[in-house]
Amino acid sequence: MKAMLIKDWKLMKGQKQFIYILCIFLAVFGATSNNLGFLISYMTLMATIFSISTISYDEYNNGMVYLLALPISRRKYVEEKYLFCLLTSLIVSAVSLIVTLGIGIVRSTNATSEDLVISAAAALGMGALICGFMLPIQLKFGPEKSRIAMAVMGAAFFAIVYVMVWIGKRMGTDMENVLQNFNNLSEGVVAVGAVVICLAVLLISIFISVHVMEKREF
């Protein structure tokens, strides 16, 4: 697995233009905006999506056939992808947090260190959820068809939410009251709930991804 992680790191290092663009965005946005929490989220999520794209490079020119001929099982390949994506999210989130803390001190912005830490944690959680949803689709459909599949799933998600809200209103449920009750939850309860949801999504996603890889033919 160590060799696979090194391979993916080198693949990302080879995409210097994308890294330069992120660094320029970080510098410009950090110097001109007071919304430093958004900056942490943006950098983390972009890095997470970029790390998932390494699957496309693995499949390019029948590269997956070569990789699976090496002494690495399909299960280990899947586990490495999740580990790599989560590590990338964690590193970029931590670096972005340190940079924004420095920007906040230099520019004397209104953002507190507590707010930035919460933003970094939320961005890391979103990165984990993106990995959980995108990796099985990427492994199942490949780089091209996965875009269509993601669009369909996104539309289906919003349709389901809309139908659930409509049913709730028809049943006389006060949606504003539901949202208010959610807002009244303590930060500790919300944090624990978010961690449980992220872990559940990741475990289910890994199970699905392993099943997809074991059944897929290259």
Side-chain angles (χ1 to χ4, degrees), residues 101-114:
L101 286 172
I103 293 174
I105 294 174
V106 172
R107 294 184 54 211
S108 299
T109 61
N110 296 327
T112 64
S113 58
E114 182 181 355

Side-chain angles (χ1 to χ4, degrees), residues 77-93:
Y77 176 85
V78 170
E79 292 173 353
E80 185 274 335
K81 283 301 175 187
Y82 279 89
L83 179 60
F84 176 72
C85 292
L86 293 175
L87 282 176
T88 302
S89 300
L90 177 61
I91 292 172
V92 174
S93 179

Side-chain angles (χ1 to χ4, degrees), residues 6 11 28 52 64 70 92 128 136 140 150-151 175 178 206-207:
I6 294 174
L11 279 175
V28 173
I52 294 173
M64 190 68 76
L70 299 174
V92 174
K140 173 65 176 179
M150 284 297 298
M175 301 306 297
V178 172
I206 292 173
F207 175 80

Side-chain angles (χ1 to χ4, degrees), residues 30 37 53 58 69 75 137 180 204:
S53 69
D58 291 343
R75 174 180 290 273
I137 296 174
Q180 185 63 39
I204 295 172

Side-chain angles (χ1 to χ4, degrees), residues 41-173:
S41 300
Y42 180 83
M43 296 294 292
T44 303
L45 298 184
M46 289 299 294
T48 302
I49 294 172
F50 186 46
S51 65
I52 294 173
S53 69
T54 55
I55 296 177
S56 302
Y57 293 99
D58 291 343
E59 295 187 2
Y60 179 73
N61 202 19
N62 293 323
M64 190 68 76
V65 177
Y66 172 76
L67 287 175
L68 295 179
L70 299 174
I72 178 172
S73 66
R74 299 191 178 207
R75 174 180 290 273
K76 288 296 182 183
Y77 176 85
V78 170
E79 292 173 353
E80 185 274 335
K81 283 301 175 187
Y82 279 89
L83 179 60
F84 176 72
C85 292
L86 293 175
L87 282 176
T88 302
S89 300
L90 177 61
I91 292 172
V92 174
S93 179
V95 171
S96 300
L97 174 61
I98 294 172
V99 172
T100 51
L101 286 172
I103 293 174
I105 294 174
V106 172
R107 294 184 54 211
S108 299
T109 61
N110 296 327
T112 64
S113 58
E114 182 181 355
D115 291 336
L116 294 178
V117 170
I118 292 175
S119 296
L124 188 59
M126 286 299 299
L129 291 177
I130 289 175
C131 290
F133 283 111
M134 290 188 64
L135 279 173
I137 296 174
Q138 190 84 1
L139 291 171
K140 173 65 176 179
F141 298 103
E144 299 299 329
K145 293 182 179 179
S146 62
R147 298 171 186 171
I148 301 175
M150 284 297 298
V152 172
M153 287 189 62
F157 173 78
F158 284 109
I160 291 172
V161 171
Y162 178 82
V163 171
M164 289 178 64
V165 172
W166 180 81
I167 292 175
K169 290 181 178 179
R170 294 285 292 181
M171 294 177 63
T173 304

